[in-house]
Amino acid sequence: MSQGQFTRAGEIPLPGGRMTQGITRRGGQLLRPMGAWSGAVHDYLLHLETATFSGAPRFLGTEGEREVLTYIDGEVPADPQWQPGRGHRLPPYARSEAALVAAARLVRQLHDAARGYRPRDVEFRFDPRPLRTGEIVSHGDLGPWNTVYRHGVPVAFIDWDAAGPIVPVVELAAAAWEFVPLAPPEQLHEAGFDPVPDVAARLRIFVDAYGLSDRRAILPALQRCRLLAAERIKYAPVSAAEAADALEHHARELRWLHSLAPRLDGALIGLARA
């Protein structure tokens, strides 16, 4: 069915992500299929609303097997051609330093809003358990493809199905991989960067905009978040070959991170770049 056709009266189908299909818009509402984890996500979204975090959709209720959320107007730079190992194509506004700073500040606002939340429903999609010391409940899949941009900067995060327990600096690191983005030159070219930026300098801009007190704490978190991403592949609706491609992609990322670690460390402590 094309996007111009209606699925139900008054509903317009919208592009889904890699794991969720059947999303529609009805006026100012978004309707999405639910899963076993949806109750935990709904409770969390209600908390964020109470905490006055404006960067998330509001949970309005359910209709049958679908959840009803507020629709957030703006642009979402999703790349339907993305595959593991290929740069995620970004429009110019999503590659700007202003967008990078705004993304980090929005992550910080989210983390601040989440502090103190103790979920009653812990049936999260990828890690169904109570919080441990030092953890918060957060989005779990931050990246441009799950971000609404308005006037060139991020204003909200969408697709909260991956929400669950995480250490804040680990989620910050996962966001850095995608928003900086941390990738070798060929993937940055594929993403649309020309010339290729200094990723170490952009990482420092990102963590400073977030307000991380110890910049170097991001380095071990960059490794840890990629190991967590590899664990999540077992939940993805992919074939054995696709799972292998994803695992190999994360292995390449970790090798690249190891090779770049001294340069990243130098930028974070303020040394001159090599």
Side-chain angles (χ1 to χ4, degrees):
M1 178 177 292
S2 71
Q3 293 184 34
Q5 294 176 293
F6 292 87
T7 52
R8 301 187 189 184
E11 295 184 19
I12 303 173
L14 299 177
R18 294 189 290 273
M19 298 183 69
T20 306
Q21 302 298 320
I23 302 173
T24 64
R25 178 185 179 184
R26 183 179 61 205
Q29 299 177 341
L30 190 77
L31 295 93
R32 305 174 80 255
M34 291 189 292
W37 55 86
S38 295
V41 174
H42 297 163
D43 284 350
Y44 181 51
L45 290 176
L46 289 170
H47 165 77
L48 292 180
E49 180 177 4
T50 300
T52 65
F53 176 66
S54 62
R58 301 302 184 221
F59 172 61
L60 302 177
T62 62
E63 292 185 9
E65 298 300 315
R66 300 187 298 172
E67 62 187 10
V68 185
L69 308 170
T70 54
Y71 176 79
I72 301 176
D73 194 28
E75 298 177 283
V76 179
D79 179 1
Q81 304 302 317
W82 181 86
Q83 294 293 332
R86 178 183 177 277
H88 185 281
R89 187 72 183 179
L90 296 170
Y93 65 81
R95 304 193 302 264
S96 73
E97 186 173 312
L100 181 66
V101 167
R105 290 176 177 168
L106 191 60
V107 176
R108 181 56 184 260
Q109 293 167 20
L110 169 60
H111 289 176
D112 288 345
R115 294 185 194 280
Y117 174 63
R118 293 296 177 265
R120 294 170 296 176
D121 185 343
V122 297
E123 292 301 313
F124 301 110
R125 185 173 192 172
F126 296 120
D127 200 1
R129 59 171 176 81
L131 296 183
R132 298 177 183 137
T133 301
E135 292 183 329
I136 60 172
V137 176
S138 200
H139 184 280
D141 189 22
L142 294 177
W145 58 87
N146 279 336
T147 303
V148 178
Y149 290 71
R150 201 177 297 146
H151 305 300
V153 296
V155 296
F157 299 127
I158 58 174
D159 192 356
W160 292 76
D161 284 357
I166 196 162
V167 175
V169 72
V170 174
E171 180 165 69
L172 178 66
W177 274 101
E178 312 304 344
F179 285 106
V180 170
L182 295 173
E186 60 272 18
Q187 290 181 27
L188 293 174
H189 275 300
E190 291 169 343
F193 288 94
D194 185 15
V196 169
D198 183 338
V199 294
R202 281 176 64 90
L203 176 62
R204 176 165 173 162
I205 290 169
F206 189 75
V207 299
D208 282 351
Y210 176 87
L212 190 64
S213 57
D214 177 7
R215 294 189 191 111
R216 299 176 78 189
I218 200 73
L219 292 175
L222 290 171
Q223 174 178 324
R224 183 175 175 187
C225 72
R226 265 354 194 201
L227 294 173
L228 290 174
E231 289 181 13
R232 285 188 174 188
I233 294 170
K234 63 186 176 184
Y235 298 101
V238 295
S239 67
E242 289 169 331
D245 288 343
L247 287 169
E248 289 166 358
H249 169 56
H250 290 312
R252 288 191 298 269
E253 286 182 318
L254 288 167
R255 293 189 190 98
W256 177 80
L257 175 65
H258 179 75
S259 70
L260 196 68
R263 184 176 165 202
L264 296 178
D265 189 48
L268 291 168
I269 63 176
L271 297 179
R273 296 191 296 270

